[in-house]
Amino acid sequence: WLKKQLLLKSAYQSEDLKSIIDKKVQNYRDDLLLFEFEKFIFSTNRNQEITSDEIKKYYSQNVEDFILPYNLVKALYVKVSLEAPDLNNFISNFRKYPNIDANQIRSYCYQFAEKSFLEDSTWIKFDDIILGSPFPASMDKKYFLNTRNFYQIRDNQYVYLYKILDKKLIGDFSPIDFEVDVINTIILNKRKQDLFDKLRDSIFINSTKGLDYEVY
């Protein structure tokens, strides 16, 4: 601590260094103040709700920006011990999905599955559901997804089950419901930028007239 204080005392004796630091501190303070000011202005603005129609419109107008670089699936995935009870019957039922009571699948998985993904209406990256499984690295994934809707593979301890319900392949347009969060962020950021542009213009114009700024 003492060495640090002595070093600081020496540094403070340099007027040029102090001037550089003061300028950096002022610039940081100004940037922080503007950031917090803009955040406050936007938080008090009522135009924050984004409708489903706006999302659909943005998607349709910019669909070329949503070409998939990876494979997406709607699928079920289960990793279950080879020693789990009534395993063959479960595999048979799993294969029949969705032409079977889904509660049977869920109940079995909750009791015996080591790992599972059962959100059949949710798009997920195919690479994510095969991560950590012995899915063959040499397998052509596009061919696999085009030719199979059920697959099982085993190692010494577990059986891994996949039920593919829908798919979007690399090069396809990404489904809109997979991109909702991204589109929300884009639209919200655009609104922020538009608001701040209008705010800056309003402050500049009104300041020349000796008036207060107007928030849109």
Side-chain angles (χ1 to χ4, degrees):
W1 179 87
L2 180 58
K3 289 181 180 179
K4 179 180 178 181
Q5 299 307 309
L6 291 172
L7 189 60
L8 284 171
K9 183 178 180 181
S10 297
Y12 274 117
Q13 292 175 357
S14 170
E15 293 299 326
D16 290 341
L17 185 59
K18 284 176 62 179
S19 177
I20 292 172
I21 296 300
D22 288 343
K23 186 176 293 186
K24 287 185 176 182
V25 170
Q26 184 61 46
N27 288 339
Y28 173 76
R29 183 179 184 278
D30 291 346
D31 289 343
L32 182 60
L33 184 61
L34 285 173
F35 173 78
E36 292 296 336
F37 177 64
E38 291 178 345
K39 188 167 70 171
F40 169 75
I41 292 297
F42 190 74
S43 69
T44 58
N45 184 268
R46 297 177 182 177
N47 188 27
Q48 295 189 47
E49 182 179 353
I50 299 172
T51 67
S52 59
D53 286 342
E54 287 179 283
I55 292 173
K56 291 175 183 176
K57 181 180 179 181
Y58 183 91
Y59 178 84
S60 64
Q61 291 177 343
N62 300 275
V63 67
E64 294 293 337
D65 294 337
F66 297 104
I67 296 176
L68 285 169
Y70 38 68
N71 299 306
L72 288 181
V73 292
K74 285 183 178 179
L76 303 185
Y77 161 67
V78 176
K79 173 185 177 182
V80 63
S81 171
L82 293 173
E83 298 181 358
D86 205 16
L87 180 59
N88 289 334
N89 185 54
F90 171 72
I91 294 174
S92 176
N93 289 337
F94 185 89
R95 186 168 191 162
K96 295 173 185 175
Y97 189 89
N99 299 314
I100 193 172
D101 184 1
N103 289 327
Q104 294 184 40
I105 303 294
R106 296 183 185 279
S107 177
Y108 189 93
C109 289
Y110 292 152
Q111 294 180 71
F112 306 113
E114 179 77 13
K115 186 178 180 181
S116 65
F117 179 81
L118 304 175
E119 302 298 325
D120 61 358
S121 62
T122 299
W123 289 104
I124 184 173
K125 295 177 183 178
F126 183 61
D127 285 347
D128 287 348
I129 68 168
I130 64 175
L131 186 66
S133 75
F135 190 89
S138 60
M139 178 80 76
D140 184 321
K141 295 173 185 175
K142 182 176 181 179
Y143 176 79
F144 171 86
L145 291 171
N146 276 327
T147 57
R148 295 175 184 254
N149 61 19
F150 172 78
Y151 183 67
Q152 69 167 299
I153 188 169
R154 303 181 181 218
D155 58 22
N156 292 332
Q157 293 182 284
Y158 299 100
V159 59
Y160 304 78
L161 306 174
Y162 305 89
K163 180 68 177 184
I164 309 301
L165 306 171
D166 200 357
K167 63 184 182 296
K168 295 287 184 180
L169 304 178
I170 293 173
D172 290 344
F173 293 123
S174 180
I176 187 172
D177 45 339
F178 186 74
E179 302 293 348
V180 166
D181 289 344
V182 172
I183 296 174
N184 265 307
T185 300
I186 292 171
I187 295 175
L188 201 59
N189 285 338
K190 187 177 185 304
R191 285 187 185 177
K192 286 181 181 179
Q193 190 59 54
D194 290 344
L195 176 65
F196 298 152
D197 288 344
K198 291 178 181 179
L199 176 61
R200 293 185 186 101
D201 290 344
S202 176
I203 290 174
F204 177 76
I205 292 171
N206 289 328
S207 66
T208 63
K209 301 176 182 180
L211 302 173
D212 290 334
Y213 65 83
E214 179 181 356
V215 178
Y216 289 82

